[in-house]
Amino acid sequence: MATTYEIINKTTLGSDAAYIEFTSIPDTYKDVILVGSTRTTKTSINDEAELKLNGTAITGIRLFGTGAGVACDTIPIMLPTGANATSNTFDNFTIYIPNYASTTQYKSVSIDQTGENNGTTAYAVFIAGLYSSNTAVSTIRLTSLTGSYVTNSSFYLYGIKNS
Amino acid sequence: MSKPTKLIINCETKEQIEVELTDEEVAQLEADRAKAEADKAAAEAEAAAKAEAKAELLARLGITEEEAKLLLA
Amino acid sequence: MAATYEPIATTTLTGTQANIEFTSISGAYTDFILTGTVVRTAGSDIEFVLGNGSYDTGSNYSLTYLYGTGSAAGSGRGINATKGNAGYASSTNPMSLTIQAQNYSNTSTYKTLLVRNSPASGDVSAIVNLWRSTSAINQIKLTPNSGSFGAGTSLTLYGIKAA
């Protein structure tokens, strides 16, 4: 039986990178999911990171908790762990894009991200995103908006089949 | 000073290439960052304006936020 | 080697449907995940009922939800409900939806379902639903409480084995 949940590609950074990009994503799966664990060089508890699909930033809603409160806005920017968080601590995230290869509808994006920090502030984030294009997603880019992703940040792209 | 780098992972060939950004790419990266910052500032300003309008309305009505929630429940 | 994550059934709508049901769900798995893209003909909640042989429409559902509208965040509870809830969207853009049920086929405990719902217009939400029944789940029916599921809705039920 064909494997349902397959690794398409993966990487663990050996040096800092401002952004990472998966290109030439095959259209042979039903859904894709990008999971990873990151930290950046921004001198703060958290950085901000932008997701672009086929070169276009997603739009959407963000719900997040800080440990002291909860907020919601229309800025679908992720909050990766920054350089001032507890050392050796990386966040984790999943970016789920069902029906990513559809050529007849826009693509909904579901992002869950949590960081941790042995302090008063840490972030848990839910994002509902939208890629407003009928083009199949063939490129996924994650960009640190202030610094760079550091060594040992990891990114795993899986394809999920439905038969 | 070295330029930022990007990591390109080709899912067809499985190649992974780490390269320095070109001048154009650096400019685009900075533009993306500036736009994200501007969008964030605009959203925050809108949220602040709504909060201010809400506070003014509550003050005019002479009720607290909890009382307003009770009214609307 | 036995597959761990297997598609059980999948559907993609080419027209509107009032509801979508997955029935005769095998009890051979440990957990199931129902996931995909939902398109609606109107803004609405997605509700669901569960059952074993027949659907439970009694007051045996409760839920806790965390949501963000884009400008406000909130949380709430529902008790003694006659349906479970899989989130709200205000627009007809595609929305990613995941419903996860751990230990769904056991006959000793009540059933907990985790929902993540990511509409870029409407409430990004995380919901925990409880079905107060020790029956194994072998059927689930989803229904928008306004309008219908639209063409392009695509859902797959996956079974996950623990060994």
Side-chain angles (χ1 to χ4, degrees), chain A residues 8-11 13 15-25 48 52 75 143-147 157, chain B residues 4-12 14-16 18 21 25 28-29 32-33 36-37 39-40 43-44:
Chain A
I8 297 174
N9 220 323
K10 59 184 177 180
T11 191
L13 297 186
S15 58
D16 298 353
Y19 65 80
I20 69 104
E21 187 167 59
F22 289 86
T23 64
S24 300
I25 299 170
E48 292 178 320
K52 281 187 173 181
I75 309 166
T143 304
S144 161
L145 286 180
T146 305
L157 180 66
Chain B
T5 57
K6 62 182 178 182
L7 178 66
I8 306 296
I9 303 155
N10 188 310
C11 297
E12 191 176 357
K14 309 300 181 191
E15 242 184 323
Q16 297 189 15
E18 186 181 335
L21 300 186
E25 287 169 336
Q28 183 61 57
L29 181 62
D32 287 347
R33 288 171 169 176
E37 199 58 43
D39 288 348
K40 180 181 163 186
E44 285 171 350

Side-chain angles (χ1 to χ4, degrees), chain A residues 41-69:
Chain A
T41 58
K42 181 179 178 183
T43 52
S44 176
I45 297 298
N46 70 282
D47 194 349
E48 292 178 320
E50 179 181 67
L51 174 68
K52 281 187 173 181
L53 304 179
N54 294 350
T56 300
I58 61 169
T59 58
I61 298 172
R62 180 177 62 178
L63 171 65
F64 63 97
T66 66

Side-chain angles (χ1 to χ4, degrees), chain C residues 5 7 11 17 23-24 30 41-42 52 68 80 87-88 119 127 136 162:
Chain C
Y5 198 101
T11 186
Q17 290 287 345
T23 63
S24 300
T30 309
T41 61
N52 187 303
N80 298 322
Y88 171 80
I127 308 171

Side-chain angles (χ1 to χ4, degrees), chain C residues 53-135:
Chain C
S54 61
Y55 289 111
D56 182 358
T57 55
S59 303
N60 296 315
Y61 300 83
S62 56
L63 61 144
T64 305
Y65 54 91
L66 170 67
Y67 70 94
T69 66
S71 56
S75 179
R77 299 217 67 237
I79 60 172
N80 298 322
T82 57
K83 300 184 180 75
N85 190 287
Y88 171 80
S90 60
S91 88
T92 55
N93 275 323
M95 175 196 87
S96 69
L97 172 66
T98 300
I99 301 174
Q100 194 165 336
Q102 266 74 278
N103 218 10
Y104 72 96
S105 59
N106 91 86
T107 54
S108 307
T109 68
Y110 290 170
K111 308 303 180 290
T112 303
L113 292 89
L114 303 175
V115 176
R116 272 285 284 117
N117 171 29
S118 289
S121 302
D123 302 353
V124 58
S125 58
I127 308 171
V128 177
N129 286 267
L130 176 69
W131 179 40
R132 294 194 306 283
S133 171
T134 55
S135 298

Side-chain angles (χ1 to χ4, degrees), chain A residues 1 4-5 30-31 60-61 63 70-74 96 98-99 105-106 108-112 126-130 160-163, chain C residues 5 7 10 12 35-37 39 66-70 72-73 93-96 98 116 118-120 122 124 126 152 154 156 158:
Chain A
M1 182 176 174
T4 300
Y5 206 105
K30 183 63 175 169
D31 310 330
I61 298 172
L63 171 65
V70 63
C72 188
D73 55 33
T74 54
Y96 172 55
N99 227 14
Q105 64 180 206
Y106 292 176
S108 174
V109 181
S110 183
I111 302 175
D112 292 5
F126 295 135
I127 293 172
L130 186 69
I160 305 173
K161 294 185 178 177
N162 68 339
S163 63
Chain C
Y5 198 101
T10 189
T12 299
T35 188
T37 301
V39 177
L66 170 67
Y67 70 94
T69 66
N93 275 323
M95 175 196 87
S96 69
T98 300
R116 272 285 284 117
S118 289
V124 58
S154 182
T156 303
Y158 295 91

